[in-house]
Amino acid sequence: MLWGEIQLAVRGTRVNRLAKWGLLPVLSAAVLILGLSCNRSAPSPSSPAETQPELPAASAEKTAGGASEEEKATGEALAPAAKDEKPGPIRLHDITARTGITFRHSDGSSGRLYIVETVASGVATFDYDGDGWTDIYFVSGGALPGAAADPPPKNRLYRNLGDFRFVDVTDHAGVGDTGHGLGVAVGDVNNDGCPDLYVSNLGRNVMYLNNGDGTFSDLSSTAGTAIPDEQRVGAGVCFLDKEGDGSLDLFAANYLKWSPDMKIAHAWRGKPIYPGPERFQPYPSRLFGNNGDGTFSDLSEQSRVGLQPGYGMGTICTDYDRDGDTDIFVGNDGGPGNFLFRNDGRGVFEECGVQSGVAYSGSGLAHGSMGADCGDYDNDGLFDLYVTAYQGQLATLYRNRGEKGFEDVSQRIGAGTGSSNQVTWGCGLVDLDNDSRRDIFYVCGHLIDNIDSLDDTTSYLASPVVLWQTTTGRFVNVSSSAGDGLKKKSVGRGAAFDDLDNDGDLDVVILNSRREPTILRNDSSPRNHSLEVILSGTRANRDGVGAVVSVEAGGQRQIAEVHSGRGYQGHFGTRLHFGLGSATDVKRLEVRWLGGKSEILENIPADTWIRVVEGREKASTNGSWAAAGSGEANSATSRGIP
Amino acid sequence: MKQGESEHPVSGGEQASEPVASTRTFVSGRLLICAVCVIALAAGYYGGRFARGRFGNAAADVRTTVAKSDKEADKNSPPAPVLKLDPDAPVPDKAEPLTREVKAVVDCLVATFPESPDALEVQARSEVWLGNSSKAFDVWKKCVKLDPRYVYAYVGLASVAAERAEHDQAVEYAKQALEVEPNNFQARVTLTQSLLQLGRAAEVPPVLEPFLKSDPRSQGFFLLGQAYSQLEQYEKAKDSYEAAIRIFPDYVEAYNGLAVAYEHLGQPDKAKPAMEKFQKLNAPEKSAARIRGSTVSDLKLMQEGAAALYADAGSLFFTSGRKADAETVWVRAAALDSHNVLCRQSLAWLMRNAARYGENIAWLNQLAAIDPKNPSYLIEVGRTYEKLKLLPAAEESFRKACKAAPANDAGYVALAGLLLRYGQNLAETATLARKAIEIRPSAANYALLASACRANGDLPAARTALEQAIKLAPQDPSYKAALDAINAGPAKK
């Protein structure tokens, strides 16, 4: 398939769902198209076309009624909800054991209680090989002084074979960095259609350029983005196109300045614990401009993002003020409160966290912010922010009120429910049941590993929490009735949300500190419909990072933005996901590319995913686009609007 | 907001009581009597000498003769577990020995009073101090079994539930506490905070508003502002935040709330200064400190917590007649926490009643140093000196009281009284009395002026002052009698 076309592909890994859609016959062709879309050689160990036929193995698990055989056997789907809590429709099942993922996170600890251990790492979900299946990149801590390092822990890339089976392709891909990893972002820095990786470390950061053949090249020494300060503790990172010139620039938040010889100790109730960040010097963020030749220039000072020292952690870029350029939010772990860098459109940023109302919580406290996500939870056309926090502080939902700035509505609508006695980390403002309303998912796990002996109101191991958004816009904690995936206690840090099995709903990947990850399959009721959208920029950056897509379906308008870097120092959601509720088609879809141009499509059937290519004027003229593999024409139109 | 961290006790005003409310103290049943006595100390009833200014060894020094005088009294006490606590032992510099020591004291207390909710309450709080909220929860449950109207147990249960984010449960326990004691501020705060967490802001105004009318507190108004903000009633939110700031002008978070409320009300010109004030007060170093306990070690906090437990344990020992044990734990509390007021007040009161005036003065002087704007302690020191006929020292103490709190009439009254009683500097007495009247024009102060005028031979002025006193307190026959006496005969010098 050539770039410049609007593609309609069929998703679905399960026979029953595909059969329901009547699209089973087109499966092979669709997969073939997807597999070819990046025009690259098949990655090891097998090509997508080879893996696809194996997918239906687990497909019979789920019945049309929404309850799997597994659920029926355990009665879990019918289990009563907690007292005073109506069971929500979200069901997430832990299928880690059968994924083949053997990664185990290391925080490099050896009992010396270095602060860089406990903040742990993020995780990225992205389709590195362009086969249509979302893969997983786990970031790991390295071997800090005193820790065993044989073999040294390293980051791991798992290729998605479909049906929740993954294979470790780290060594083949060449992305197994052994540095002490903290954050990760994915972006196509050379616009070749193959997503690249940037890993934020303690000390030297790493840039991996995707070769398009299942391997990556380490450009760290030449790209100019390594920030090679051995005392710098990295944090969340994002790619953004700061001035809308079509190439991705790079923002790297940093946590603090640390080295193992600092000997900063902390004791609580007589027991040694991890020290807080305030004991260390904050480290300002960095911004790198893309030179377009594989190198970047450090623009931290002239862009003004490097002038604000803070304890950066989770970060996300968003056009919060809808002025057509991309701004940057940085969650800071404590004072001076969160940062919001407003872009003037030319890549110069003004920090306006306090003025815009996101620096502090509604009660005026600078939270120990951890993860950050962005989405329009109330479908009012403005991007809201969700930020997780330290124990004793609510994970906070900042509602975007346009020119009036943001307002903390966490208590008002229950968006922080269940968080106040936990340390909360990776998070997603995502629609888990496809009802067209974004829900909230966050992971927990204290950063003090001996906390259970010091304060039994919280815990080191903790279950994730899912808050389902009701029709009245309130968030209800449905964790106790949302499947076994919410019951497992671990030490959550990073979390990513993507459709791993291409069945139209978002699955969950959790990176647990010092432990194996958790993979949750979304088995929520399939009654609702969805649409997934991939953007291909031609004038704008290739993945459409910073572009805003709006869909109108079932009388409702939703928006989503392509982010690169989000959650707790991780990355997910390059393929935009829209829950459509009972709507079986999207009346209108508009893409507003970074740079101001728009693309409009109409009458798109639900339960598909589509690729929208920027400026595909031909398609708008002939008014048709192909249903992949079927050869059928669709009545949807696309037209470029200057 | 962590009220106790940000607000400093201010003598004589509303804020003086606030930290007490936020860190609930243990006073119940018979202990109430003790507490009343302790509080009465600040109003003053004692005398003595040997004032000491230093904190360090004072606690140990003044205690040396303690046990002897009470041994006789203890002979009749029922046999009970022996308190093994050496108040003169070095203060533990590690958490573990401190924990052991506290556990031993609490175990002794509970073994001595196994059926006492007060003792169990101390035990519950010691568990919280150790981070064992589950154990504390169980102990508080025992308390309410023993006494279903034991308010502090409900408050404790509510606070633990809130800490665990079990806010529905916290609401229920806080409501039970308020059924027993409607004026319990801590229960009201916990109830409000949990209602806010549950998104039940509409229930908050009825909980707070009637209460705040009779007992206005900054934290209460702040929480009310939070509730109205949640309810999007920004005019009322603004009023509430302003009320909080009127009471406590440095209430950082209230300025943030106020700025947000003004923004919603479309008054950015008023929002701006509020936000500026918030930022000024919210300096980065302060913000960072509020995120987590930022101390290298929390040993000092642990010691302070232990001292608070000992202060209450001492009250319990005392009310059951074990004065020596009470004194031991109070002295230990003072050694553990150089700023613990309750144990020092208790000790001062104990010393005064035991006629150990030197120690009485030493503890009072420590209290005066802890709370230098509160004249009560210095006045008590002066009275002890007066009782011991050390009049220059008494006069000096009263003058210090005037200097410490020039806007409080108590020092002037005490000094004028002393001078009048002993016929010293009589010319000054009228000036002092007039100053007292200026601050508080009470009948008593007018009567004091009358005495001063009479002593100085100015009978017309004395008559006028007494007439004013009678006007202010017509029910008090003593003023009329004094006036009659002046009218009846020549003035006495």
Side-chain angles (χ1 to χ4, degrees):
Chain A
M1 181 170 291
L2 298 173
W3 293 111
E5 287 181 274
I6 299 163
Q7 304 171 1
L8 167 65
V10 180
R11 63 157 179 253
T13 61
R14 296 182 184 172
V15 167
N16 64 307
R17 188 180 278 259
L18 293 171
K20 187 178 74 173
W21 294 345
L23 293 172
L24 188 58
V26 305
L27 174 64
S28 320
V31 168
L32 187 61
I33 288 167
L34 290 167
L36 295 173
S37 64
C38 198
N39 193 23
R40 64 187 74 167
S41 63
S44 175
S46 58
S47 72
E50 286 169 346
T51 61
Q52 196 62 33
E54 298 173 23
L55 298 181
S59 61
E61 279 180 12
K62 203 155 183 172
T63 65
S68 66
E69 294 303 322
E70 181 189 336
E71 285 172 339
K72 282 184 176 174
T74 60
E76 187 177 6
L78 306 172
K83 194 185 168 193
D84 299 331
E85 185 182 273
K86 287 181 184 171
I90 298 169
R91 297 289 182 276
L92 298 164
H93 285 112
D94 182 358
I95 47 98
T96 314
R98 70 178 182 83
T99 58
I101 293 172
T102 56
F103 169 79
R104 188 181 171 87
H105 175 265
S106 167
D107 64 359
S109 58
S110 61
R112 297 186 185 185
L113 300 177
Y114 298 137
I115 187 171
V116 289
E117 300 164 8
T118 191
V119 291
S121 323
V123 59
T125 48
F126 70 114
D127 182 7
Y128 86 96
D129 54 357
D131 65 355
W133 298 94
T134 300
D135 312 296
I136 308 174
Y137 186 70
F138 295 103
V139 180
S140 179
L144 295 170
D150 186 24
K154 62 182 175 185
N155 303 341
R156 295 272 177 186
L157 175 64
Y158 281 89
R159 179 165 175 255
N160 188 345
L161 304 177
D163 193 28
F164 284 102
R165 290 183 308 108
F166 293 82
V167 62
D168 186 341
V169 294
T170 311
D171 294 336
H172 176 82
V175 290
D177 183 50
T178 54
H180 190 83
L182 297 147
V184 59
V186 176
D188 188 352
V189 298
N190 57 353
N191 288 331
D192 66 349
C194 305
D196 310 302
L197 271 173
Y198 183 73
V199 181
S200 170
N201 282 336
L202 161 66
R204 184 176 170 273
N205 288 356
V206 175
M207 173 83 83
Y208 288 118
L209 193 73
N210 191 332
N211 300 320
D213 60 358
T215 68
F216 290 75
S217 298
D218 186 344
L219 291 194
S220 312
S221 55
T222 57
T225 55
I227 329 176
D229 177 348
E230 291 305 314
Q231 294 200 334
R232 181 190 55 82
V233 180
V237 286
C238 295
F239 285 106
L240 73 158
D241 183 357
K242 60 183 168 49
E243 68 281 76
D245 65 355
S247 59
L248 286 181
D249 309 295
L250 175 64
F251 174 80
N254 292 303
Y255 190 35
L256 45 78
K257 204 164 185 172
W258 174 87
S259 77
D261 53 3
M262 282 182 176
K263 312 270 185 222
I264 291 178
H266 199 114
W268 187 24
R269 293 191 168 123
K271 294 182 181 165
I273 61 166
Y274 285 104
E278 67 281 349
R279 306 279 306 283
F280 302 86
Q281 192 181 328
Y283 206 109
S285 306
R286 293 289 180 89
L287 182 76
F288 298 96
N290 191 336
N291 299 326
D293 59 358
T295 67
F296 289 76
S297 299
D298 188 341
L299 306 175
S300 309
E301 296 229 342
Q302 61 224 68
S303 66
R304 305 184 68 80
V305 302
L307 304 180
Q308 310 283 339
Y311 300 99
M313 295 210 99
T315 179
I316 188 163
C317 295
T318 175
D319 182 8
Y320 79 94
D321 52 2
R322 300 301 304 270
D323 64 351
D325 57 36
T326 305
D327 312 293
I328 306 168
F329 173 85
V330 183
N332 278 318
D333 190 2
N338 303 321
F339 292 151
L340 184 58
F341 292 107
R342 183 165 51 208
N343 192 346
D344 70 354
R346 292 167 301 173
V348 177
F349 295 81
E350 179 198 2
E351 203 289 297
C352 61
V354 173
Q355 297 90 318
S356 59
V358 297
Y360 307 104
S361 69
S363 51
L365 289 173
H367 278 182
S369 297
M370 305 295 179
D373 197 24
C374 173
D376 179 12
Y377 85 89
D378 53 356
N379 291 332
D380 66 351
L382 297 166
F383 293 114
D384 311 294
L385 286 163
Y386 192 71
V387 188
T388 49
Y390 194 66
Q391 180 195 358
Q393 304 162 352
L394 278 190
T396 306
L397 178 58
Y398 293 100
R399 180 174 168 252
N400 190 339
R401 299 177 300 140
E403 288 179 359
K404 293 178 178 172
F406 290 84
E407 181 185 21
D408 176 354
V409 293
S410 316
Q411 290 186 338
R412 187 184 300 162
I413 60 174
T417 304
S419 65
S420 67
N421 67 325
Q422 297 291 346
V423 183
T424 53
W425 303 84
C427 57
L429 197 49
V430 289
D431 183 357
L432 290 167
D433 59 344
N434 287 340
D435 64 355
S436 78
R437 293 180 296 276
R438 285 174 187 262
D439 311 296
I440 291 170
F441 187 104
Y442 61 80
V443 299
C444 312
H446 213 283
L447 58 73
I448 298 172
D449 56 357
N450 54 345
I451 191 70
D452 298 74
S453 66
L454 291 163
D455 175 6
D456 68 358
T457 62
T458 183
S459 56
Y460 183 53
L461 296 169
S463 303
V465 172
V466 61
L467 305 176
W468 174 58
Q469 190 182 167
T470 66
T471 52
T472 59
R474 278 194 65 80
F475 289 89
V476 179
N477 189 344
V478 294
S479 309
S480 62
S481 62
D484 62 7
L486 276 296
K487 292 186 170 62
K488 180 180 171 183
K489 291 188 174 183
S490 192
V491 189
R493 290 294 184 267
F497 308 85
D498 259 314
D499 185 359
L500 297 178
D501 54 352
N502 289 338
D503 68 347
D505 54 31
L506 295 173
D507 308 294
V508 185
V509 180
I510 302 171
L511 183 141
N512 299 307
S513 179
R514 298 185 192 170
R515 282 157 180 80
E516 69 282 357
T518 308
I519 314 296
L520 303 181
R521 186 184 65 206
N522 192 334
D523 291 333
S524 304
S525 166
R527 279 174 303 185
N528 290 330
H529 301 278
S530 66
L531 177 75
E532 291 174 8
V533 181
I534 296 178
L535 299 185
S536 289
T538 53
R539 285 182 292 266
N541 67 81
R542 188 61 167 265
D543 287 341
V545 172
V548 176
V549 175
S550 64
V551 300
E552 289 174 28
Q556 195 161 33
R557 185 169 178 272
Q558 299 178 58
I559 59 167
E561 187 176 19
V562 182
H563 302 287
S564 164
R566 66 200 288 195
Y568 181 64
Q569 304 183 169
H571 175 98
F572 57 89
T574 303
R575 188 199 297 177
L576 299 177
H577 171 268
F578 295 91
L580 302 177
S582 58
T584 53
D585 65 351
V586 168
K587 297 291 176 208
R588 187 173 186 274
L589 181 151
E590 180 177 355
V591 182
R592 201 190 70 183
W593 299 94
L594 212 53
K597 304 215 169 167
S598 292
E599 217 83 48
I600 293 174
L601 306 178
E602 289 173 349
N603 302 322
I604 306 158
D607 303 320
T608 57
W609 61 269
I610 63 166
R611 182 185 296 274
V612 181
V613 181
E614 183 184 12
R616 177 65 179 145
E617 292 183 5
K618 246 187 180 176
S620 69
T621 310
N622 65 22
S624 67
W625 47 300
S630 69
E632 292 175 53
N634 189 290
S635 60
T637 59
S638 165
R639 55 180 185 274
I641 299 174
Chain B
M1 166 184 175
K2 299 165 190 74
Q3 198 79 357
E5 289 178 14
S6 303
E7 298 191 8
H8 301 287
V10 178
S11 61
E14 181 266 352
Q15 289 306 318
S17 58
E18 194 127 15
V20 175
S22 59
T23 53
R24 192 194 57 67
T25 54
F26 151 90
V27 180
S28 177
R30 288 176 300 165
L31 296 182
L32 188 61
I33 300 162
C34 179
V36 168
C37 295
V38 163
I39 291 161
L41 169 83
Y45 295 98
Y46 335 12
R49 67 188 287 193
F50 310 123
R52 289 188 176 114
R54 283 188 309 118
F55 278 20
N57 354 348
D61 291 347
V62 297
R63 201 203 54 78
T64 47
T65 58
V66 172
K68 292 177 194 165
S69 60
D70 292 320
K71 273 185 182 165
E72 289 304 309
D74 286 347
K75 272 183 186 170
N76 299 325
S77 301
V82 177
L83 176 68
K84 289 177 185 163
L85 176 66
D86 177 5
D88 295 335
V91 171
D93 60 355
K94 289 202 167 75
E96 209 247 320
L98 178 63
T99 302
R100 256 200 326 267
E101 181 189 303
V102 172
K103 272 186 172 172
V105 171
V106 171
D107 285 350
C108 174
L109 189 74
V110 174
T112 309
F113 311 105
E115 298 299 309
S116 161
D118 290 334
L120 290 173
E121 218 276 331
V122 173
Q123 186 186 25
R125 282 171 43 223
S126 74
E127 294 295 351
V128 170
W129 176 74
L130 290 166
N132 303 325
S133 72
S134 301
K135 285 186 185 169
F137 203 82
D138 293 342
V139 177
W140 273 318
K141 282 273 192 186
K142 253 194 232 174
C143 287
V144 294
K145 249 188 194 166
L146 287 168
D147 179 1
R149 293 188 60 77
Y150 194 78
V151 67
Y152 304 111
Y154 292 116
V155 174
L157 290 165
S159 68
V160 166
E163 285 284 309
R164 293 173 177 171
E166 294 165 355
H167 295 290
D168 285 312
Q169 207 179 42
V171 165
E172 289 314 308
Y173 284 125
K175 282 183 174 173
Q176 281 178 284
L178 290 171
E179 270 174 31
V180 178
E181 189 183 301
N183 287 332
N184 189 298
F185 182 65
Q186 191 55 46
R188 222 163 270 273
V189 166
T190 306
L191 173 59
T192 303
Q193 286 171 333
S194 284
L195 287 172
L196 289 172
Q197 292 270 1
L198 292 166
R200 291 161 58 182
E203 295 173 50
V204 170
V207 170
L208 284 177
E209 275 173 341
F211 176 80
L212 290 170
K213 271 181 192 158
S214 57
D215 186 6
R217 307 229 190 184
S218 58
Q219 190 184 11
F221 280 114
F222 174 74
L223 290 169
L224 190 60
Q226 294 272 288
Y228 280 126
S229 296
Q230 261 198 37
L231 295 167
E232 300 181 79
Q233 296 180 30
Y234 294 105
E235 189 67 40
K236 287 184 176 175
K238 179 207 74 173
D239 292 344
S240 303
Y241 290 129
E242 283 177 340
I245 289 165
R246 270 197 300 277
I247 295 166
F248 179 42
D250 281 354
Y251 205 139
V252 188
E253 293 83 1
Y255 285 100
N256 180 67
L258 184 62
V260 172
Y262 272 129
E263 281 288 352
H264 278 280
L265 292 168
Q267 300 177 49
D269 51 324
K270 290 187 176 171
K272 198 179 167 195
M275 186 49 79
E276 283 170 356
K277 179 78 175 177
F278 168 71
Q279 285 184 274
K280 192 178 166 192
L281 292 170
N282 199 33
E285 62 273 17
K286 287 185 187 171
S287 308
R290 288 213 302 274
I291 299 304
R292 299 172 193 161
S294 61
T295 47
V296 178
S297 159
D298 68 334
L299 184 65
K300 189 168 177 286
L301 288 174
M302 287 193 79
Q303 290 169 343
E304 289 167 6
L309 292 169
Y310 285 175
D312 293 341
S315 301
L316 199 52
F317 279 127
F318 180 85
T319 51
S320 59
R322 294 177 60 165
K323 291 181 193 169
D325 285 343
E327 183 175 346
T328 299
V329 290
W330 281 333
V331 169
R332 189 62 171 167
L336 286 169
D337 180 3
S338 59
H339 284 77
N340 187 294
V341 169
L342 191 58
C343 71
R344 286 177 172 80
Q345 287 180 336
S346 305
L347 283 163
W349 177 81
L350 187 71
M351 298 305 142
R352 184 248 178 200
N353 279 6
R356 290 152 59 183
Y357 297 118
E359 291 156 277
N360 167 248
I361 288 172
W363 292 116
L364 286 169
N365 275 335
Q366 288 196 15
L367 286 162
I370 291 169
D371 189 2
K373 289 184 178 175
N374 185 344
S376 310
Y377 303 120
L378 292 166
I379 291 169
E380 292 314 309
V381 170
R383 288 192 175 148
T384 304
Y385 279 129
E386 185 182 350
K387 189 171 185 140
L388 295 170
K389 304 293 180 203
L390 294 167
L391 301 179
E395 183 182 342
E396 190 189 338
S397 291
F398 291 143
R399 288 195 187 280
K400 276 186 192 167
C402 296
K403 209 173 171 186
N408 189 318
D409 65 329
Y412 305 111
V413 171
L415 180 58
L418 178 78
L419 298 177
L420 282 169
R421 281 192 292 280
Y422 294 96
Q424 302 293 310
N425 297 335
L426 290 177
E428 189 189 358
T429 58
T431 310
L432 292 167
R434 286 200 174 89
K435 185 77 186 165
I437 287 168
E438 200 179 290
I439 295 163
R440 195 161 63 95
S442 65
N445 285 347
Y446 276 107
L448 178 69
L449 177 61
S451 298
C453 293
R454 192 179 177 195
N456 284 295
D458 186 355
L459 294 183
R463 276 192 202 97
T464 308
L466 279 170
E467 281 162 5
Q468 192 62 28
I470 291 164
K471 220 185 249 175
L472 289 168
Q475 73 284 2
D476 190 333
S478 64
Y479 304 137
K480 179 80 168 56
L483 184 60
D484 291 344
I486 290 173
N487 290 334
K492 282 183 196 169
K493 286 214 174 173

